[in-house]
Amino acid sequence: MSKLSHLDDQGHANMVDVSEKQVTFREAVAYAEIQMRPETLALIVDKGHKKGDVLAVARIAGIQAAKRTSDLIPLCHPLMLSKVAVDLQPNYERNLVEITATCKLSGQTGAEMEALTAASVAGLTIYDMCKAVDKEMVIGSVKVLAKSGGKSGDWKVEK
């Protein structure tokens, strides 16, 4: 088993030194979902919420969150992201919104944490905007779906 890269030989937390790593194109895709009552999903999709366009606000929140990941997670490197996209798709069969966040950059470390942060904050934003009408919403299935670039190469999982 590999040792944890964010711990030194004494077990103290530290930021990983990436200064010797090659700059490569990197991309990460993360997923989250927020389940809700059918009426809440209809309210969101029909843009009938008095607070405004829930999905538009969640998209902007996710993009902003990706850009601020290093401010939220102590040992993350600040990254110069070249692209952040947050896609929100209603799923009527399961009464939820599927959130997919994609982050791209050319750099020395990957963007998995940025994609995860974007997807998570988009879900939190939907919850915040809709909690008055549906207190039983559940945010879940937060995970990295794919990454490319860097020393460890490319990989992908299914939703």
Short mmCIF file of all heavy atoms in Angstrom, two decimals, residues 3-41:
data_model
loop_
_atom_site.label_atom_id
_atom_site.label_comp_id
_atom_site.label_asym_id
_atom_site.label_seq_id
_atom_site.Cartn_x
_atom_site.Cartn_y
_atom_site.Cartn_z
N LYS A 3 2.10 5.05 0.73
CA LYS A 3 1.93 5.92 1.89
C LYS A 3 1.16 7.16 1.47
O LYS A 3 1.12 7.52 0.29
CB LYS A 3 3.27 6.26 2.50
CG LYS A 3 4.10 7.24 1.73
CD LYS A 3 5.37 7.56 2.49
CE LYS A 3 5.92 8.88 1.98
NZ LYS A 3 6.93 9.44 2.81
N LEU A 4 0.53 7.79 2.42
CA LEU A 4 -0.26 8.99 2.14
C LEU A 4 0.69 10.13 1.77
O LEU A 4 1.63 10.43 2.50
CB LEU A 4 -1.11 9.37 3.35
CG LEU A 4 -2.17 8.34 3.75
CD1 LEU A 4 -2.85 8.75 5.05
CD2 LEU A 4 -3.19 8.17 2.64
N SER A 5 0.42 10.76 0.65
CA SER A 5 1.32 11.79 0.13
C SER A 5 1.26 13.11 0.91
O SER A 5 2.16 13.92 0.79
CB SER A 5 1.03 12.05 -1.34
OG SER A 5 -0.31 12.48 -1.51
N HIS A 6 0.24 13.31 1.69
CA HIS A 6 0.10 14.57 2.43
C HIS A 6 0.62 14.48 3.85
O HIS A 6 0.40 15.37 4.66
CB HIS A 6 -1.37 15.03 2.44
CG HIS A 6 -1.82 15.57 1.13
ND1 HIS A 6 -2.17 14.77 0.08
CD2 HIS A 6 -1.94 16.85 0.69
CE1 HIS A 6 -2.51 15.52 -0.96
NE2 HIS A 6 -2.38 16.78 -0.62
N LEU A 7 1.33 13.40 4.17
CA LEU A 7 1.94 13.25 5.49
C LEU A 7 3.45 13.08 5.33
O LEU A 7 3.91 12.34 4.47
CB LEU A 7 1.38 12.03 6.22
CG LEU A 7 -0.12 12.02 6.51
CD1 LEU A 7 -0.53 10.72 7.17
CD2 LEU A 7 -0.52 13.20 7.37
N ASP A 8 4.21 13.77 6.19
CA ASP A 8 5.66 13.60 6.14
C ASP A 8 6.06 12.38 6.97
O ASP A 8 5.21 11.64 7.48
CB ASP A 8 6.39 14.87 6.59
CG ASP A 8 6.17 15.23 8.06
OD1 ASP A 8 5.71 14.37 8.85
OD2 ASP A 8 6.47 16.38 8.43
N ASP A 9 7.37 12.14 7.10
CA ASP A 9 7.86 10.95 7.82
C ASP A 9 7.46 10.92 9.28
O ASP A 9 7.43 9.86 9.90
CB ASP A 9 9.39 10.85 7.69
CG ASP A 9 9.82 10.58 6.26
OD1 ASP A 9 9.00 10.03 5.49
OD2 ASP A 9 10.97 10.91 5.91
N GLN A 10 7.16 12.08 9.86
CA GLN A 10 6.73 12.14 11.27
C GLN A 10 5.21 12.12 11.41
O GLN A 10 4.68 12.21 12.50
CB GLN A 10 7.27 13.40 11.95
CG GLN A 10 8.77 13.38 12.20
CD GLN A 10 9.57 13.71 10.95
OE1 GLN A 10 9.22 14.62 10.20
NE2 GLN A 10 10.61 12.95 10.69
N GLY A 11 4.50 12.02 10.29
CA GLY A 11 3.05 11.98 10.33
C GLY A 11 2.39 13.34 10.33
O GLY A 11 1.18 13.45 10.56
N HIS A 12 3.15 14.39 10.07
CA HIS A 12 2.60 15.74 10.03
C HIS A 12 2.05 16.05 8.64
O HIS A 12 2.65 15.68 7.63
CB HIS A 12 3.68 16.78 10.39
CG HIS A 12 4.27 16.56 11.73
ND1 HIS A 12 5.63 16.40 11.93
CD2 HIS A 12 3.70 16.46 12.95
CE1 HIS A 12 5.87 16.21 13.21
NE2 HIS A 12 4.71 16.24 13.85
N ALA A 13 0.96 16.77 8.63
CA ALA A 13 0.36 17.17 7.36
C ALA A 13 1.25 18.18 6.65
O ALA A 13 1.83 19.06 7.27
CB ALA A 13 -1.02 17.77 7.60
N ASN A 14 1.37 18.01 5.32
CA ASN A 14 2.11 18.99 4.53
C ASN A 14 1.56 19.01 3.11
O ASN A 14 0.95 18.06 2.65
CB ASN A 14 3.61 18.71 4.55
CG ASN A 14 4.00 17.42 3.86
OD1 ASN A 14 3.37 17.02 2.89
ND2 ASN A 14 5.03 16.77 4.34
N MET A 15 1.82 20.11 2.44
CA MET A 15 1.43 20.23 1.03
C MET A 15 2.45 19.48 0.19
O MET A 15 3.66 19.64 0.39
CB MET A 15 1.36 21.69 0.63
CG MET A 15 0.90 21.91 -0.80
SD MET A 15 0.91 23.66 -1.23
CE MET A 15 -0.82 23.98 -1.26
N VAL A 16 1.99 18.66 -0.72
CA VAL A 16 2.87 17.88 -1.58
C VAL A 16 3.66 18.83 -2.49
O VAL A 16 3.11 19.78 -3.05
CB VAL A 16 2.05 16.88 -2.43
CG1 VAL A 16 2.92 16.18 -3.44
CG2 VAL A 16 1.34 15.89 -1.53
N ASP A 17 4.95 18.59 -2.61
CA ASP A 17 5.81 19.39 -3.48
C ASP A 17 5.67 18.89 -4.92
O ASP A 17 6.06 17.77 -5.24
CB ASP A 17 7.26 19.27 -3.02
CG ASP A 17 8.21 20.14 -3.84
OD1 ASP A 17 7.76 20.81 -4.79
OD2 ASP A 17 9.41 20.13 -3.51
N VAL A 18 5.09 19.71 -5.78
CA VAL A 18 4.89 19.32 -7.18
C VAL A 18 5.85 20.05 -8.11
O VAL A 18 5.72 19.96 -9.33
CB VAL A 18 3.43 19.54 -7.63
CG1 VAL A 18 2.47 18.69 -6.82
CG2 VAL A 18 3.05 21.02 -7.56
N SER A 19 6.84 20.74 -7.56
CA SER A 19 7.72 21.57 -8.38
C SER A 19 8.52 20.79 -9.41
O SER A 19 8.89 21.33 -10.44
CB SER A 19 8.65 22.40 -7.50
OG SER A 19 9.42 21.57 -6.64
N GLU A 20 8.79 19.51 -9.17
CA GLU A 20 9.55 18.70 -10.12
C GLU A 20 8.66 17.97 -11.14
O GLU A 20 9.17 17.33 -12.05
CB GLU A 20 10.40 17.67 -9.36
CG GLU A 20 11.42 18.27 -8.41
CD GLU A 20 12.47 19.12 -9.12
OE1 GLU A 20 12.93 18.71 -10.21
OE2 GLU A 20 12.81 20.19 -8.59
N LYS A 21 7.35 18.05 -10.97
CA LYS A 21 6.44 17.36 -11.89
C LYS A 21 6.32 18.12 -13.20
O LYS A 21 6.41 19.35 -13.23
CB LYS A 21 5.05 17.20 -11.24
CG LYS A 21 5.05 16.25 -10.05
CD LYS A 21 3.71 16.22 -9.35
CE LYS A 21 2.78 15.27 -10.05
NZ LYS A 21 1.49 15.15 -9.36
N GLN A 22 6.08 17.37 -14.26
CA GLN A 22 5.90 17.96 -15.59
C GLN A 22 4.55 18.67 -15.67
O GLN A 22 3.57 18.22 -15.09
CB GLN A 22 5.92 16.86 -16.66
CG GLN A 22 7.26 16.20 -16.83
CD GLN A 22 8.25 17.10 -17.57
OE1 GLN A 22 7.91 18.17 -18.05
NE2 GLN A 22 9.49 16.67 -17.63
N VAL A 23 4.52 19.75 -16.41
CA VAL A 23 3.26 20.42 -16.72
C VAL A 23 2.61 19.62 -17.85
O VAL A 23 3.22 19.41 -18.90
CB VAL A 23 3.49 21.88 -17.16
CG1 VAL A 23 2.20 22.50 -17.68
CG2 VAL A 23 4.06 22.70 -16.01
N THR A 24 1.41 19.13 -17.61
CA THR A 24 0.66 18.39 -18.64
C THR A 24 -0.79 18.86 -18.62
O THR A 24 -1.26 19.45 -17.64
CB THR A 24 0.69 16.86 -18.40
OG1 THR A 24 0.07 16.57 -17.13
CG2 THR A 24 2.10 16.30 -18.41
N PHE A 25 -1.50 18.57 -19.70
CA PHE A 25 -2.93 18.85 -19.74
C PHE A 25 -3.62 17.85 -18.82
O PHE A 25 -3.33 16.66 -18.85
CB PHE A 25 -3.49 18.71 -21.16
CG PHE A 25 -4.99 18.84 -21.20
CD1 PHE A 25 -5.60 20.07 -21.07
CD2 PHE A 25 -5.79 17.71 -21.32
CE1 PHE A 25 -6.98 20.19 -21.07
CE2 PHE A 25 -7.17 17.82 -21.33
CZ PHE A 25 -7.76 19.07 -21.20
N ARG A 26 -4.52 18.33 -18.01
CA ARG A 26 -5.24 17.49 -17.06
C ARG A 26 -6.71 17.84 -17.08
O ARG A 26 -7.09 18.99 -17.28
CB ARG A 26 -4.68 17.69 -15.65
CG ARG A 26 -3.22 17.24 -15.54
CD ARG A 26 -2.54 17.91 -14.37
NE ARG A 26 -1.13 17.62 -14.32
CZ ARG A 26 -0.58 16.62 -13.65
NH1 ARG A 26 -1.32 15.76 -12.98
NH2 ARG A 26 0.73 16.46 -13.64
N GLU A 27 -7.52 16.81 -16.86
CA GLU A 27 -8.97 16.99 -16.84
C GLU A 27 -9.55 16.05 -15.79
O GLU A 27 -9.09 14.92 -15.64
CB GLU A 27 -9.57 16.68 -18.21
CG GLU A 27 -11.06 16.87 -18.28
CD GLU A 27 -11.62 16.68 -19.68
OE1 GLU A 27 -10.84 16.41 -20.62
OE2 GLU A 27 -12.84 16.81 -19.84
N ALA A 28 -10.55 16.52 -15.07
CA ALA A 28 -11.25 15.69 -14.09
C ALA A 28 -12.75 15.93 -14.22
O ALA A 28 -13.19 17.06 -14.46
CB ALA A 28 -10.79 16.00 -12.67
N VAL A 29 -13.51 14.86 -14.06
CA VAL A 29 -14.97 14.94 -14.10
C VAL A 29 -15.51 14.32 -12.81
O VAL A 29 -15.12 13.20 -12.45
CB VAL A 29 -15.55 14.17 -15.32
CG1 VAL A 29 -17.07 14.26 -15.35
CG2 VAL A 29 -14.94 14.70 -16.62
N ALA A 30 -16.36 15.06 -12.12
CA ALA A 30 -16.96 14.57 -10.88
C ALA A 30 -18.48 14.60 -11.00
O ALA A 30 -19.05 15.31 -11.85
CB ALA A 30 -16.51 15.41 -9.69
N TYR A 31 -19.12 13.84 -10.12
CA TYR A 31 -20.57 13.66 -10.17
C TYR A 31 -21.14 13.79 -8.76
O TYR A 31 -20.50 13.41 -7.77
CB TYR A 31 -20.89 12.27 -10.72
CG TYR A 31 -22.35 11.90 -10.72
CD1 TYR A 31 -23.18 12.30 -11.76
CD2 TYR A 31 -22.90 11.16 -9.68
CE1 TYR A 31 -24.52 11.96 -11.76
CE2 TYR A 31 -24.24 10.82 -9.68
CZ TYR A 31 -25.04 11.22 -10.72
OH TYR A 31 -26.37 10.88 -10.72
N ALA A 32 -22.34 14.32 -8.68
CA ALA A 32 -23.13 14.32 -7.45
C ALA A 32 -24.59 14.33 -7.88
O ALA A 32 -24.90 14.61 -9.04
CB ALA A 32 -22.82 15.53 -6.58
N GLU A 33 -25.45 14.01 -6.95
CA GLU A 33 -26.88 14.10 -7.24
C GLU A 33 -27.61 14.58 -6.00
O GLU A 33 -27.13 14.41 -4.88
CB GLU A 33 -27.44 12.75 -7.72
CG GLU A 33 -27.24 11.61 -6.76
CD GLU A 33 -27.59 10.25 -7.36
OE1 GLU A 33 -27.36 10.03 -8.56
OE2 GLU A 33 -28.09 9.40 -6.59
N ILE A 34 -28.75 15.21 -6.24
CA ILE A 34 -29.59 15.63 -5.13
C ILE A 34 -31.01 15.16 -5.41
O ILE A 34 -31.63 15.52 -6.41
CB ILE A 34 -29.51 17.16 -4.87
CG1 ILE A 34 -30.43 17.56 -3.71
CG2 ILE A 34 -29.77 17.96 -6.13
CD1 ILE A 34 -30.15 18.94 -3.14
N GLN A 35 -31.47 14.30 -4.51
CA GLN A 35 -32.80 13.71 -4.64
C GLN A 35 -33.80 14.57 -3.89
O GLN A 35 -33.48 15.17 -2.85
CB GLN A 35 -32.79 12.29 -4.07
CG GLN A 35 -34.01 11.51 -4.44
CD GLN A 35 -33.79 10.02 -4.26
OE1 GLN A 35 -32.98 9.61 -3.48
NE2 GLN A 35 -34.55 9.24 -5.00
N MET A 36 -35.02 14.62 -4.43
CA MET A 36 -36.04 15.50 -3.86
C MET A 36 -37.43 14.97 -4.18
O MET A 36 -37.57 14.01 -4.94
CB MET A 36 -35.87 16.91 -4.43
CG MET A 36 -36.00 16.96 -5.94
SD MET A 36 -35.35 18.47 -6.68
CE MET A 36 -33.61 18.35 -6.37
N ARG A 37 -38.43 15.62 -3.64
CA ARG A 37 -39.80 15.26 -3.97
C ARG A 37 -40.09 15.64 -5.43
O ARG A 37 -39.52 16.60 -5.96
CB ARG A 37 -40.78 15.98 -3.04
CG ARG A 37 -40.66 15.55 -1.59
CD ARG A 37 -41.79 16.08 -0.72
NE ARG A 37 -42.38 17.32 -1.16
CZ ARG A 37 -42.35 18.47 -0.47
NH1 ARG A 37 -41.78 18.51 0.71
NH2 ARG A 37 -42.92 19.55 -0.95
N PRO A 38 -41.00 14.92 -6.09
CA PRO A 38 -41.34 15.24 -7.49
C PRO A 38 -41.80 16.69 -7.66
O PRO A 38 -41.49 17.34 -8.66
CB PRO A 38 -42.45 14.26 -7.83
CG PRO A 38 -42.33 13.15 -6.85
CD PRO A 38 -41.73 13.73 -5.61
N GLU A 39 -42.54 17.20 -6.68
CA GLU A 39 -43.03 18.58 -6.77
C GLU A 39 -41.89 19.58 -6.76
O GLU A 39 -41.94 20.62 -7.40
CB GLU A 39 -43.99 18.91 -5.61
CG GLU A 39 -45.13 17.93 -5.40
CD GLU A 39 -44.72 16.71 -4.58
OE1 GLU A 39 -44.15 16.83 -3.48
OE2 GLU A 39 -44.99 15.60 -5.06
N THR A 40 -40.85 19.28 -5.99
CA THR A 40 -39.69 20.17 -5.91
C THR A 40 -38.95 20.17 -7.24
O THR A 40 -38.57 21.24 -7.74
CB THR A 40 -38.75 19.73 -4.77
OG1 THR A 40 -39.51 19.62 -3.56
CG2 THR A 40 -37.62 20.72 -4.58
N LEU A 41 -38.77 18.99 -7.82
CA LEU A 41 -38.10 18.90 -9.12
C LEU A 41 -38.89 19.67 -10.18
O LEU A 41 -38.31 20.43 -10.97
CB LEU A 41 -37.93 17.44 -9.52
CG LEU A 41 -37.15 17.18 -10.82
CD1 LEU A 41 -35.74 17.77 -10.74
CD2 LEU A 41 -37.08 15.68 -11.09
#
